Amino acid sequence: DSLRSLGEAWTYEGPLGGLVRRGLAAGADDAPDTEARAVGARVVPVLRVNPGVGVEGGLGLGLRAGPLAVTPKALLRSVDGGLSLSADARLRLVRGDRVGLTAEADVADDVARRAPTFGPSVLQILDGRGGYYDRRRVGAGLRGTLGSLGSTRLSGILALPLRAEAAARVVAETAQTFRPLDLLGPGPLDADRLALGPDGQTVTTRSVQAELAVGTLGAPLGALPRRAVRVAAEVGDWSGEGPYWTVGGALDGRVNTFARRRALPPALDVRLVGEIGGGALPLTRLPSVEGMLAEGGVGVSQFGALRARTGVPYEGDATAAVFWEHAFRSVLFEVLGLRALAERGYGLSLHGAHARTWIDADRRADLERFGYVLSTPSGWHHELGAGLTGLFGVLRLDVTTRLDTRQTTVGVGVSQLF
């Protein structure tokens, strides 16, 4: 009931109950003047897994001195024994109850794969399908906090994910492609192999990227209320081939549909994304629409990716996609008289996606001449699925069918938490 506070409405139990209760208490004690005086350090373990680089594991060191926070990280890659190094710094310029301004900077010498349509993931251990190129980058920007969404207690639990923000950022990057799967040898992931370019030579790109965004930028897609607009552009040079450019954007929204007096009403999430590129686009910069990380039709399901598409993403000169999901939560079980399921926190959701790419015939011919088989749908990709949420408190089980080919996949992901 909207007349009750979160603490009054819910008893935090289950696998994450203790963490949420401690986070609520910590959020209540996090006063602005306390942060301004804070000085300290903490060790942060990091673990990521993806097909490109295998397992990455290591440590980060969180250093803090008043308004300045610096976090260097060192991760060891299992696929080639290489070391991924990075560091980011944040300097809080203005801190208030409703308004704040932070300067940010980061440097990295690591491995990544550009996936412009993929948003922040609750399952950070998976970190996408990355690993297509080495990159050296330096970035800087400003991030402003516009205000807090929801109650003080809710933002105390979740901190940034429920604060509206505005961000402007510029990144300079040098990237050099490689084939990490050559080190793994033949296997089921061969479909992810990346052709390097003309005559198999290494492709090196140098670029400047700019991004403007506003909204709940820290909210993981599909798990927390996300309302945001993002526009990004890149201008670069492909060594030996000439300049290129890309422009893309994403629009995210959530609408509470009915039973709005509930603390967690049924809601519809929608995500619109698109990107276009031109000039001498290298393979590592082709606009793409991500699919599901899976083997044999079973994998990890996430809002903002095609759940009935596995393997390599769709690619082209231009891409467009619409993702939507309606979370009925426990309402349908209540209507059907299945109170036991509703009281255990189980819910139902309906989701779908629609995507396509466009590619110039001459570019397709050039790519095929270099030995690269472009992955594109024939027309629009349409999919529809349903999910059971609230498994073990936080997980979900999805079944999704691609409507034109009748391909069906099963995915496990994170439920809509708020």
Side-chain angles (χ1 to χ4, degrees):
D1 193 306
S2 61
L3 299 180
R4 304 172 68 190
S5 71
L6 291 172
E8 294 168 339
W10 290 331
T11 299
Y12 298 102
E13 298 176 345
L16 299 182
L19 292 176
V20 173
R21 289 192 296 270
R22 286 194 292 273
L24 184 61
D29 295 336
D30 185 18
D33 57 341
T34 301
E35 179 182 303
R37 295 194 301 267
V39 176
R42 62 189 180 95
V43 176
V44 182
V46 181
L47 177 66
R48 296 197 294 248
V49 180
N50 66 55
V53 298
V55 178
E56 281 187 303
L59 296 175
L61 183 62
L63 305 174
R64 188 179 192 89
L68 176 64
V70 180
T71 307
K73 297 178 183 178
L75 307 179
L76 184 65
R77 302 190 296 265
S78 67
V79 67
D80 61 354
L83 196 62
S84 294
L85 302 174
S86 64
D88 63 81
R90 297 181 305 279
L91 176 63
R92 188 177 294 279
L93 304 176
V94 177
R95 179 181 175 88
D97 293 337
R98 302 285 295 177
V99 179
L101 182 65
T102 302
E104 302 178 336
D106 67 273
V107 294
D109 182 358
D110 59 8
V111 166
R113 179 188 180 278
R114 184 169 180 261
T117 65
F118 223 52
S121 172
V122 174
L123 299 173
Q124 292 295 338
I125 189 174
L126 293 166
D127 199 31
R129 290 180 56 253
Y132 279 163
Y133 61 86
D134 291 307
R135 65 178 183 179
R136 292 172 179 82
R137 59 188 278 135
V138 58
L142 290 174
R143 183 177 298 270
T145 302
L146 304 180
S148 179
L149 303 178
S151 71
T152 302
R153 287 191 176 185
L154 186 57
S155 62
I157 299 170
L158 300 169
L160 284 178
L162 292 182
R163 289 180 185 160
E165 298 174 287
R169 181 176 178 78
V170 176
V171 176
E173 177 181 277
T174 297
Q176 185 178 66
T177 61
F178 74 123
R179 276 196 280 194
L181 294 173
D182 283 345
L183 301 173
L184 292 174
L189 298 176
D190 280 349
D192 293 343
R193 192 181 302 276
L194 177 72
L196 297 183
D199 301 322
Q201 298 175 2
T202 297
V203 172
T204 300
T205 58
R206 294 178 176 85
S207 68
V208 175
Q209 306 157 21
E211 178 181 334
L212 294 174
V214 62
T216 50
L217 306 179
L221 287 174
L224 303 177
R226 183 177 172 90
R227 300 177 179 93
V229 178
R230 170 184 173 270
V231 178
E234 179 179 12
V235 177
D237 177 73
W238 177 4
S239 58
E241 293 295 326
Y244 68 89
W245 58 269
T246 64
V247 177
L251 175 64
D252 297 288
R254 172 178 289 186
V255 178
N256 295 332
T257 52
F258 57 92
R260 296 182 182 180
R261 282 178 56 83
R262 294 183 176 229
L264 291 178
L268 173 67
D269 284 301
V270 178
R271 179 170 173 81
L272 309 176
V273 296
E275 187 178 20
I276 186 171
L281 272 174
L283 298 172
T284 53
R285 286 303 191 262
L286 287 176
S288 65
V289 181
E290 290 291 311
M292 185 170 71
L293 181 67
E295 290 293 335
V298 179
V300 179
S301 177
Q302 179 178 331
F303 182 71
L306 299 174
R307 304 186 213 212
R309 169 69 179 176
T310 60
V312 296
Y314 291 134
E315 299 161 308
D317 291 324
T319 61
V322 179
F323 304 93
W324 59 269
E325 177 171 354
H326 190 281
F328 292 95
R329 302 197 188 270
S330 62
V331 171
L332 293 184
F333 289 138
E334 296 171 28
V335 171
L336 295 173
L338 303 175
R339 300 290 303 183
L341 294 178
E343 290 172 358
R344 286 179 172 83
Y346 296 135
L348 294 173
S349 67
L350 186 68
H351 60 262
H354 318 275
R356 74 163 298 170
T357 66
W358 294 264
I359 184 71
D360 179 77
D362 291 338
R363 188 187 303 280
R364 181 190 290 273
D366 288 341
L367 292 172
E368 292 176 350
R369 180 164 55 87
F370 296 149
Y372 185 74
V373 179
L374 197 68
S375 175
T376 58
S378 55
W380 282 88
H381 169 114
H382 298 286
E383 65 183 41
L384 185 65
L388 176 64
T389 64
L391 302 176
F392 302 104
V394 296
L395 298 181
R396 60 182 295 150
L397 180 66
D398 294 320
V399 178
T400 309
T401 298
R402 182 174 172 181
L403 300 182
D404 54 340
T405 64
R406 301 300 179 186
Q407 175 187 357
T408 300
T409 60
V410 177
V412 177
V414 173
S415 296
Q416 192 179 95
L417 301 178
F418 291 97

Short mmCIF file of all heavy atoms in Angstrom, two decimals, residues 215-256:
data_model
loop_
_atom_site.label_atom_id
_atom_site.label_comp_id
_atom_site.label_asym_id
_atom_site.label_seq_id
_atom_site.Cartn_x
_atom_site.Cartn_y
_atom_site.Cartn_z
N GLY A 215 19.04 10.62 -16.84
CA GLY A 215 18.07 9.66 -16.33
C GLY A 215 18.65 8.81 -15.23
O GLY A 215 19.69 9.14 -14.64
N THR A 216 18.02 7.67 -14.95
CA THR A 216 18.49 6.74 -13.93
C THR A 216 19.56 5.85 -14.56
O THR A 216 19.36 4.67 -14.82
CB THR A 216 17.33 5.89 -13.39
OG1 THR A 216 16.61 5.34 -14.50
CG2 THR A 216 16.38 6.73 -12.57
N LEU A 217 20.73 6.42 -14.77
CA LEU A 217 21.77 5.78 -15.58
C LEU A 217 22.39 4.58 -14.88
O LEU A 217 22.93 3.70 -15.54
CB LEU A 217 22.86 6.81 -15.90
CG LEU A 217 22.36 8.09 -16.56
CD1 LEU A 217 23.53 9.04 -16.81
CD2 LEU A 217 21.64 7.80 -17.86
N GLY A 218 22.33 4.51 -13.56
CA GLY A 218 22.94 3.39 -12.86
C GLY A 218 22.02 2.21 -12.64
O GLY A 218 22.44 1.19 -12.11
N ALA A 219 20.75 2.31 -13.06
CA ALA A 219 19.80 1.24 -12.79
C ALA A 219 19.98 0.10 -13.78
O ALA A 219 19.87 0.30 -14.98
CB ALA A 219 18.38 1.79 -12.89
N PRO A 220 20.26 -1.11 -13.32
CA PRO A 220 20.40 -2.25 -14.22
C PRO A 220 19.11 -2.49 -15.00
O PRO A 220 18.02 -2.44 -14.44
CB PRO A 220 20.72 -3.42 -13.28
CG PRO A 220 21.25 -2.78 -12.05
CD PRO A 220 20.53 -1.48 -11.92
N LEU A 221 19.25 -2.75 -16.29
CA LEU A 221 18.09 -2.93 -17.15
C LEU A 221 17.21 -4.07 -16.68
O LEU A 221 17.68 -5.17 -16.42
CB LEU A 221 18.54 -3.21 -18.58
CG LEU A 221 19.14 -2.04 -19.35
CD1 LEU A 221 19.68 -2.50 -20.68
CD2 LEU A 221 18.10 -0.95 -19.55
N GLY A 222 15.90 -3.80 -16.56
CA GLY A 222 14.95 -4.84 -16.22
C GLY A 222 14.84 -5.17 -14.75
O GLY A 222 13.89 -5.82 -14.33
N ALA A 223 15.79 -4.74 -13.93
CA ALA A 223 15.77 -5.07 -12.51
C ALA A 223 15.26 -3.91 -11.66
O ALA A 223 14.58 -4.11 -10.66
CB ALA A 223 17.16 -5.49 -12.03
N LEU A 224 15.60 -2.68 -12.05
CA LEU A 224 15.20 -1.49 -11.32
C LEU A 224 14.52 -0.52 -12.29
O LEU A 224 14.71 -0.61 -13.50
CB LEU A 224 16.42 -0.81 -10.69
CG LEU A 224 17.26 -1.66 -9.74
CD1 LEU A 224 18.47 -0.87 -9.27
CD2 LEU A 224 16.43 -2.13 -8.56
N PRO A 225 13.72 0.41 -11.77
CA PRO A 225 13.09 1.39 -12.66
C PRO A 225 14.14 2.19 -13.42
O PRO A 225 14.99 2.84 -12.81
CB PRO A 225 12.30 2.28 -11.69
CG PRO A 225 12.12 1.46 -10.46
CD PRO A 225 13.33 0.60 -10.36
N ARG A 226 14.11 2.13 -14.74
CA ARG A 226 15.11 2.83 -15.55
C ARG A 226 14.39 3.74 -16.54
O ARG A 226 13.66 3.27 -17.41
CB ARG A 226 16.01 1.84 -16.28
CG ARG A 226 17.13 2.51 -17.09
CD ARG A 226 18.01 1.44 -17.73
NE ARG A 226 18.97 2.00 -18.65
CZ ARG A 226 20.19 2.41 -18.34
NH1 ARG A 226 20.57 2.35 -17.08
NH2 ARG A 226 21.01 2.89 -19.24
N ARG A 227 14.61 5.03 -16.39
CA ARG A 227 14.08 6.02 -17.32
C ARG A 227 15.25 6.90 -17.72
O ARG A 227 15.74 7.69 -16.92
CB ARG A 227 12.97 6.83 -16.66
CG ARG A 227 11.79 5.99 -16.19
CD ARG A 227 10.73 6.81 -15.47
NE ARG A 227 9.60 6.00 -15.04
CZ ARG A 227 9.49 5.44 -13.84
NH1 ARG A 227 10.47 5.61 -12.95
NH2 ARG A 227 8.44 4.72 -13.53
N ALA A 228 15.70 6.76 -18.95
CA ALA A 228 16.92 7.44 -19.35
C ALA A 228 16.96 7.65 -20.86
O ALA A 228 16.32 6.91 -21.62
CB ALA A 228 18.15 6.64 -18.90
N VAL A 229 17.72 8.65 -21.26
CA VAL A 229 18.01 8.92 -22.67
C VAL A 229 19.52 9.01 -22.83
O VAL A 229 20.20 9.65 -22.02
CB VAL A 229 17.37 10.24 -23.14
CG1 VAL A 229 17.72 10.52 -24.59
CG2 VAL A 229 15.86 10.20 -22.97
N ARG A 230 20.05 8.33 -23.84
CA ARG A 230 21.50 8.34 -24.08
C ARG A 230 21.76 8.55 -25.56
O ARG A 230 21.14 7.92 -26.42
CB ARG A 230 22.11 7.00 -23.64
CG ARG A 230 23.55 6.80 -24.06
CD ARG A 230 24.03 5.41 -23.66
NE ARG A 230 25.35 5.11 -24.19
CZ ARG A 230 25.58 4.53 -25.36
NH1 ARG A 230 24.57 4.19 -26.14
NH2 ARG A 230 26.81 4.30 -25.77
N VAL A 231 22.69 9.44 -25.89
CA VAL A 231 23.13 9.67 -27.26
C VAL A 231 24.65 9.60 -27.28
O VAL A 231 25.32 10.19 -26.42
CB VAL A 231 22.66 11.04 -27.78
CG1 VAL A 231 23.18 11.28 -29.20
CG2 VAL A 231 21.14 11.15 -27.76
N ALA A 232 25.21 8.84 -28.22
CA ALA A 232 26.67 8.68 -28.30
C ALA A 232 27.12 8.81 -29.75
O ALA A 232 26.39 8.46 -30.69
CB ALA A 232 27.08 7.31 -27.74
N ALA A 233 28.34 9.31 -29.92
CA ALA A 233 28.92 9.45 -31.25
C ALA A 233 30.40 9.12 -31.18
O ALA A 233 31.03 9.26 -30.13
CB ALA A 233 28.71 10.87 -31.79
N GLU A 234 30.96 8.68 -32.30
CA GLU A 234 32.37 8.34 -32.37
C GLU A 234 32.92 8.72 -33.74
O GLU A 234 32.26 8.51 -34.77
CB GLU A 234 32.58 6.85 -32.13
CG GLU A 234 34.03 6.40 -32.21
CD GLU A 234 34.20 4.92 -31.93
OE1 GLU A 234 33.18 4.20 -31.90
OE2 GLU A 234 35.36 4.49 -31.75
N VAL A 235 34.11 9.28 -33.75
CA VAL A 235 34.83 9.57 -34.99
C VAL A 235 36.21 8.94 -34.84
O VAL A 235 36.89 9.14 -33.82
CB VAL A 235 34.96 11.08 -35.23
CG1 VAL A 235 35.79 11.35 -36.48
CG2 VAL A 235 33.58 11.72 -35.37
N GLY A 236 36.62 8.16 -35.84
CA GLY A 236 37.89 7.48 -35.72
C GLY A 236 38.55 7.21 -37.05
O GLY A 236 38.03 7.60 -38.12
N ASP A 237 39.68 6.53 -36.99
CA ASP A 237 40.44 6.21 -38.19
C ASP A 237 40.85 4.74 -38.13
O ASP A 237 41.33 4.26 -37.10
CB ASP A 237 41.70 7.09 -38.28
CG ASP A 237 42.55 6.73 -39.49
OD1 ASP A 237 42.13 7.05 -40.61
OD2 ASP A 237 43.61 6.10 -39.30
N TRP A 238 40.62 4.04 -39.21
CA TRP A 238 41.01 2.65 -39.36
C TRP A 238 42.31 2.65 -40.16
O TRP A 238 42.35 3.05 -41.31
CB TRP A 238 39.91 1.89 -40.08
CG TRP A 238 40.22 0.45 -40.38
CD1 TRP A 238 41.32 -0.26 -40.02
CD2 TRP A 238 39.39 -0.46 -41.10
NE1 TRP A 238 41.24 -1.55 -40.47
CE2 TRP A 238 40.05 -1.70 -41.14
CE3 TRP A 238 38.14 -0.35 -41.72
CZ2 TRP A 238 39.54 -2.81 -41.79
CZ3 TRP A 238 37.63 -1.45 -42.35
CH2 TRP A 238 38.31 -2.67 -42.38
N SER A 239 43.39 2.22 -39.53
CA SER A 239 44.71 2.30 -40.15
C SER A 239 44.71 1.60 -41.51
O SER A 239 44.34 0.44 -41.64
CB SER A 239 45.75 1.65 -39.24
OG SER A 239 45.41 0.31 -38.98
N GLY A 240 45.09 2.34 -42.53
CA GLY A 240 45.19 1.79 -43.87
C GLY A 240 43.91 1.86 -44.67
O GLY A 240 43.92 1.60 -45.88
N GLU A 241 42.77 2.22 -44.04
CA GLU A 241 41.50 2.23 -44.75
C GLU A 241 40.83 3.59 -44.76
O GLU A 241 40.09 3.90 -45.68
CB GLU A 241 40.55 1.19 -44.14
CG GLU A 241 41.01 -0.25 -44.34
CD GLU A 241 41.01 -0.65 -45.80
OE1 GLU A 241 40.14 -0.18 -46.56
OE2 GLU A 241 41.91 -1.42 -46.20
N GLY A 242 41.04 4.42 -43.75
CA GLY A 242 40.43 5.73 -43.75
C GLY A 242 39.54 5.98 -42.56
O GLY A 242 39.39 5.13 -41.68
N PRO A 243 38.91 7.16 -42.50
CA PRO A 243 38.08 7.55 -41.35
C PRO A 243 36.73 6.86 -41.35
O PRO A 243 36.23 6.39 -42.37
CB PRO A 243 37.94 9.06 -41.52
CG PRO A 243 38.05 9.27 -42.99
CD PRO A 243 39.03 8.24 -43.49
N TYR A 244 36.11 6.84 -40.17
CA TYR A 244 34.77 6.29 -40.01
C TYR A 244 34.05 7.08 -38.93
O TYR A 244 34.65 7.84 -38.17
CB TYR A 244 34.81 4.81 -39.64
CG TYR A 244 35.36 4.53 -38.26
CD1 TYR A 244 34.53 4.50 -37.15
CD2 TYR A 244 36.73 4.31 -38.06
CE1 TYR A 244 35.04 4.27 -35.87
CE2 TYR A 244 37.23 4.07 -36.80
CZ TYR A 244 36.38 4.06 -35.72
OH TYR A 244 36.88 3.83 -34.46
N TRP A 245 32.73 6.87 -38.83
CA TRP A 245 31.94 7.53 -37.79
C TRP A 245 30.75 6.65 -37.42
O TRP A 245 30.29 5.82 -38.21
CB TRP A 245 31.42 8.90 -38.26
CG TRP A 245 30.59 8.84 -39.51
CD1 TRP A 245 31.03 8.96 -40.79
CD2 TRP A 245 29.18 8.59 -39.59
NE1 TRP A 245 29.99 8.82 -41.68
CE2 TRP A 245 28.83 8.60 -40.97
CE3 TRP A 245 28.18 8.38 -38.65
CZ2 TRP A 245 27.53 8.38 -41.41
CZ3 TRP A 245 26.87 8.18 -39.08
CH2 TRP A 245 26.56 8.19 -40.44
N THR A 246 30.26 6.80 -36.20
CA THR A 246 29.04 6.13 -35.74
C THR A 246 28.25 7.10 -34.87
O THR A 246 28.82 7.93 -34.16
CB THR A 246 29.33 4.86 -34.93
OG1 THR A 246 30.03 5.20 -33.73
CG2 THR A 246 30.15 3.86 -35.74
N VAL A 247 26.93 6.98 -34.91
CA VAL A 247 26.02 7.75 -34.05
C VAL A 247 24.93 6.80 -33.58
O VAL A 247 24.37 6.04 -34.39
CB VAL A 247 25.38 8.93 -34.80
CG1 VAL A 247 24.39 9.65 -33.89
CG2 VAL A 247 26.44 9.90 -35.29
N GLY A 248 24.64 6.80 -32.29
CA GLY A 248 23.62 5.91 -31.76
C GLY A 248 22.94 6.49 -30.55
O GLY A 248 23.39 7.50 -29.99
N GLY A 249 21.85 5.87 -30.15
CA GLY A 249 21.13 6.34 -28.98
C GLY A 249 20.24 5.27 -28.40
O GLY A 249 19.99 4.23 -29.02
N ALA A 250 19.78 5.51 -27.17
CA ALA A 250 18.88 4.58 -26.48
C ALA A 250 17.90 5.39 -25.65
O ALA A 250 18.25 6.42 -25.06
CB ALA A 250 19.66 3.62 -25.59
N LEU A 251 16.66 4.91 -25.61
CA LEU A 251 15.60 5.51 -24.81
C LEU A 251 14.99 4.42 -23.94
O LEU A 251 14.52 3.40 -24.45
CB LEU A 251 14.53 6.14 -25.71
CG LEU A 251 13.29 6.71 -25.00
CD1 LEU A 251 13.68 7.87 -24.10
CD2 LEU A 251 12.25 7.13 -26.03
N ASP A 252 15.01 4.61 -22.63
CA ASP A 252 14.48 3.63 -21.68
C ASP A 252 13.34 4.26 -20.88
O ASP A 252 13.42 5.42 -20.46
CB ASP A 252 15.56 3.18 -20.70
CG ASP A 252 16.70 2.46 -21.39
OD1 ASP A 252 16.48 1.32 -21.84
OD2 ASP A 252 17.79 3.04 -21.50
N GLY A 253 12.29 3.46 -20.65
CA GLY A 253 11.18 3.96 -19.86
C GLY A 253 10.46 2.84 -19.13
O GLY A 253 10.57 1.67 -19.48
N ARG A 254 9.77 3.21 -18.07
CA ARG A 254 8.93 2.27 -17.32
C ARG A 254 7.63 2.96 -16.97
O ARG A 254 7.62 4.12 -16.54
CB ARG A 254 9.62 1.78 -16.05
CG ARG A 254 8.68 0.96 -15.16
CD ARG A 254 9.34 0.41 -13.93
NE ARG A 254 10.28 -0.67 -14.25
CZ ARG A 254 10.90 -1.39 -13.33
NH1 ARG A 254 10.72 -1.14 -12.05
NH2 ARG A 254 11.73 -2.34 -13.69
N VAL A 255 6.51 2.22 -17.14
CA VAL A 255 5.19 2.73 -16.83
C VAL A 255 4.50 1.73 -15.91
O VAL A 255 4.40 0.54 -16.25
CB VAL A 255 4.34 2.93 -18.10
CG1 VAL A 255 2.95 3.43 -17.73
CG2 VAL A 255 5.02 3.91 -19.05
N ASN A 256 4.03 2.19 -14.75
CA ASN A 256 3.21 1.35 -13.87
C ASN A 256 1.82 1.25 -14.49
O ASN A 256 1.19 2.27 -14.79
CB ASN A 256 3.14 1.93 -12.47
CG ASN A 256 4.47 1.93 -11.77
OD1 ASN A 256 5.33 1.09 -12.05
ND2 ASN A 256 4.69 2.88 -10.88
#
